[in-house]
Amino acid sequence: SCKSRVRAIGFSPGMYGKHFGLVELPFSVTPDPRFSYVNSDYREAFATLRYGIETRKGFIVITGEAGTGKTTLLRRLMHTVEATVHTAFIFNTHLSFTELLRLVLNELGVVNSAQDRLTLMAHLNDYLIEQLHKDHIVSLLVDEAQDLSDAMLEELRLLSNLETDRAKLIQIVLMGQPELERKLDQPELRQLKQRVAVRCRLAPLGSDEVAPYINSRLQTVGYEGKELFDLESVQKIALYSKGIPRLINVICDNALLIAYANSQSKVSAKIVDEVGRDLQLTEPSQVKATEERKPISHQ
């Protein structure tokens, strides 16, 4: 396999950067907002997210397959909102409600030593009222929300009851994989589903967007050299990744590593096939000129 060959050659993945004239590796899988690829779907999802929060809609649900950029979307939001919008980002969904309250207060910078739920709720309510008087907005951003228990989702619904006659005091964003949609369809969660004012879905990239996506990431790290991926290799990347940005990154990273190991100046389709085998990815037998794309839906 390529991994064993790479180990035998004796270099780390980061070393291919120098070979290709890269000052920074462009295909990291960390959710760095600098690398946000802004196509029409992403732009609409981001606008929907901001709209839901800034107009105090209460509950906002955004779903998408693993690797479609949901966490990056949240991080970009946190980096770009006005100073009057306060966010608490929760990525650990295996918490008790009391632990979640404590974490939210900590994220919002509210100093408290309370341990019991009632006191924590009182502190949060006081903070929310204080921000409302300043005309500030408070938003709770929950990542990987498909992993929340039904009981926790019900607790969040009750938390959304914190409101005045004219405004929701806390805006709750549930970001998750498609299982979240199925979970919200359960009869026992119908009250929560009815509270969802804004809903949006992130779709994978179309096959015609894979090349611009790759070029966008190379431009972000300042690459100005020769073409690193030929047309055939990009077509193969589109097939193996099925348009999932995280998979595109993994394939490109591994492909550049193999190209470096073989002293190649660019990635060929043959190299992408090798990566596909090593990563145990299956290439669809039928190539479509334009992949079917699920539209973003609103509610």
Side-chain angles (χ1 to χ4, degrees), residues 5-135:
R5 186 174 68 249
V6 163
R7 280 196 295 270
I9 295 169
F11 60 83
S12 65
M15 289 179 66
Y16 74 65
K18 188 175 180 183
H19 175 74
F20 291 110
L22 295 161
V23 294
E24 183 183 354
L25 298 187
F27 298 107
S28 167
V29 294
T30 54
D32 187 337
R34 291 181 305 142
F35 289 99
S36 296
Y37 175 68
V38 183
N39 63 357
S40 58
D41 280 2
Y42 188 95
R43 192 178 296 112
E44 189 172 346
F46 187 72
T48 300
L49 182 59
R50 287 199 67 152
Y51 166 77
I53 291 171
E54 292 173 359
T55 57
R56 302 179 187 270
K57 290 294 184 182
F59 262 110
I60 301 132
V61 171
I62 297 186
T63 56
E65 294 290 347
T68 47
K70 300 183 298 298
T71 303
T72 307
L73 189 74
L74 284 180
R75 292 198 179 277
R76 182 178 169 217
L77 175 85
M78 292 164 68
H79 280 82
T80 56
V81 289
E82 304 293 329
T84 54
V85 178
H86 308 277
T87 58
F89 178 58
I90 304 296
F91 57 88
N92 179 2
T93 52
H94 301 288
L95 299 167
S96 69
F97 187 63
T98 302
E99 288 169 335
L100 181 132
L101 285 174
R102 201 173 295 125
L103 194 54
V104 167
L105 287 166
N106 187 56
E107 283 274 303
L108 295 170
V110 180
V111 179
N112 81 92
S113 56
Q115 297 296 316
D116 66 289
R117 174 189 172 122
L118 284 176
T119 308
L120 290 166
M121 279 292 288
H123 285 174
L124 178 59
N125 192 56
D126 290 346
Y127 174 81
L128 295 175
I129 294 290
E130 180 188 335
Q131 299 311 313
L132 182 66
H133 288 158
K134 296 179 186 175
D135 202 26

Side-chain angles (χ1 to χ4, degrees), residues 77 103 122 165 194 196 223 249 267:
L77 175 85
L103 194 54
D165 292 340
Q194 290 168 4
V196 177
Y223 179 72
N249 293 347
V267 171

Side-chain angles (χ1 to χ4, degrees), residues 249-266:
N249 293 347
V250 171
I251 294 168
C252 289
D253 188 55
N254 279 272
L256 288 171
L257 182 58
I258 292 176
Y260 168 44
N262 290 300
S263 301
Q264 301 292 314
S265 61
K266 68 162 58 175

